[in-house]
Amino acid sequence: MALAIRELPTNSAKYGALSRPGGRIQVHRDIDRSRPDHEMLHFSWIELGVHLGEEAPSQRGFGSELLERTLSYELAGEPHTEFTPDGIHWTTLLPIDERLLVSH
């Protein structure tokens, strides 16, 4: 998850909201308690003011691979990426268990 939190602003600074005047980012996190078996961390990164146009990028880079496949495999997450005309909307649900929690 730490790599995802690092990758999102890095990509935004290169290609997204942080690379454009007037671009904005909304970051939300919440605990989803609707599942009977375990609580889920709901994390979202929403970029605004980017004006990507109607089509999603044709190529996916390392960041997309990390955000989509690694979180699914390593943390049993449910990531979702949506390219909207105004910017990227990335969300994930992660089970709150020993894989997500850091012990000292």
Side-chain angles (χ1 to χ4, degrees):
M1 187 62 189
L3 287 173
I5 291 172
R6 183 185 183 288
E7 191 64 28
L8 288 163
T10 299
N11 282 350
S12 182
K14 290 179 185 176
Y15 313 110
L18 295 177
S19 70
R20 291 171 172 78
R24 298 183 328 267
I25 297 171
Q26 296 176 350
V27 177
H28 303 277
R29 51 100 182 104
D30 198 4
I31 304 297
D32 179 346
R33 294 181 171 90
S34 66
R35 297 183 185 199
D37 52 342
H38 54 270
E39 295 178 336
M40 303 285 281
L41 170 66
H42 180 248
F43 181 87
S44 66
W45 173 279
I46 300 169
E47 295 191 12
L48 304 167
V50 179
H51 307 294
L52 293 175
E54 297 298 322
E55 294 185 26
S58 60
Q59 294 183 335
R60 309 288 268 197
F62 171 77
S64 296
E65 289 288 318
L66 174 76
L67 295 174
E68 293 175 9
R69 294 189 180 167
T70 304
L71 285 176
S72 295
Y73 179 74
E74 295 288 331
L75 297 176
E78 300 172 19
H80 176 73
T81 304
E82 180 180 1
F83 293 93
T84 71
D86 201 38
I88 189 172
H89 293 193
W90 184 81
T91 61
T92 192
L93 284 170
L94 298 166
I96 299 175
D97 61 18
E98 65 278 352
R99 290 172 292 189
L100 184 62
L101 301 175
V102 178
S103 61
H104 299 306

